[in-house]
Amino acid sequence: MRQQLMAILIGASFIWGVYVYLFQLAGTEAGFYGVVTAFLHPFIMVLLWINVLILPRIETLKPFYERYKKGMENIFLCVLSVVFSIHGVILLNVSGYDLNLLLLVPLSVGIVTMTAANTLPKFVVPITDESSLSSLSSKRWNQLIRPVAAKMFIGGLMMIATVFLPESMMLTCFFGVLAFVIVTIIFRSHKVLKHGA
């Protein structure tokens, strides 16, 4: 179902891009910029979708991907949805709608962060499996993911909330929240690695 949704988003992005290019950009001074505006994001979405199709077929990654398939596809679907949203807002701007593109920064990063946080607990490694994620042992990784996911989810909510601030404060507060989330994750990771709790 998730792969079908990805295909629908990609198809819709191309159709929308073709429509805007043919009826609003073609024959104007936009030139190459018009082609980039209409088709860059759909092309990025195709590249992401190719990853979804190829990863399960790579022998060395197949066991890992099969175990965490749902979580991986959720993340890819979220990123595709964000790229589609950015594509849509840019095309609406080209079509004459005055939309604030800066709002996409905290919204996009916040949504991806919350989705990653919601998906992260699904990446629990069985203790009997000695394989590791990054440099962490299975046990340390399992101890780390839930507290990190909670901090990421709260941070994502705070990032999204910054869109309601005055524009002069929005990006400053967004980057402040982003830095705080990164620092707390690093601190928590160090604590787990050092003390195991």
Side-chain angles (χ1 to χ4, degrees):
M1 180 62 181
R2 286 177 291 274
Q3 290 194 21
Q4 287 87 338
L5 285 173
M6 294 180 203
I8 291 170
L9 286 175
I10 292 169
S13 69
F14 269 108
I15 292 170
W16 197 354
V18 168
Y19 175 83
V20 170
Y21 181 74
L22 290 179
F23 294 99
Q24 294 177 335
L25 296 175
T28 67
E29 296 180 357
F32 179 71
Y33 170 76
V35 176
V36 172
T37 301
F39 301 111
L40 174 63
H41 295 104
F43 180 70
I44 293 172
M45 293 170 72
V46 168
L47 293 179
L48 289 169
W49 193 44
I50 288 172
N51 279 282
V52 175
L53 300 177
I54 289 178
L55 285 176
R57 292 169 171 77
I58 299 175
E59 286 299 322
T60 54
L61 296 178
K62 189 178 290 187
F64 173 82
Y65 192 88
E66 286 301 318
R67 181 184 298 165
Y68 306 114
K69 180 180 179 180
K70 185 176 180 181
M72 297 284 286
E73 289 186 352
N74 281 342
I75 292 173
F76 274 112
L77 179 58
C78 175
V79 174
L80 276 172
S81 300
V82 168
V83 176
F84 178 80
S85 300
I86 294 170
H87 180 61
V89 170
I90 289 174
L91 292 184
L92 287 172
N93 266 270
V94 169
S95 301
Y97 295 91
D98 188 20
L99 301 176
N100 188 353
L101 293 175
L102 284 179
L103 293 176
L104 290 175
V105 177
L107 282 174
S108 300
V109 178
I111 290 169
V112 171
T113 302
M114 289 176 65
T115 303
N118 190 51
T119 305
L120 199 57
K122 296 181 174 66
F123 289 82
V124 173
V125 179
I127 299 300
T128 54
D129 186 352
E130 295 302 322
S131 63
S132 62
L133 297 176
S134 301
S135 60
L136 301 175
S137 67
S138 300
K139 184 178 179 181
R140 292 288 187 265
W141 171 256
N142 292 342
Q143 289 174 329
L144 182 64
I145 53 177
R146 288 194 179 278
V148 164
K151 290 172 175 59
M152 288 174 63
F153 191 86
I154 294 169
L157 278 175
M158 293 172 66
M159 291 175 202
I160 292 173
T162 61
V163 302
F164 299 105
L165 296 173
E167 191 171 324
S168 58
M169 298 173 57
M170 183 180 68
L171 286 182
T172 302
C173 291
F174 162 72
F175 284 113
V177 171
L178 181 61
F180 178 75
V181 171
I182 292 171
V183 169
T184 54
I185 289 173
I186 292 172
F187 176 78
R188 180 62 184 179
S189 302
H190 175 73
K191 186 178 178 182
V192 169
L193 283 170
K194 189 172 182 180
H195 304 292

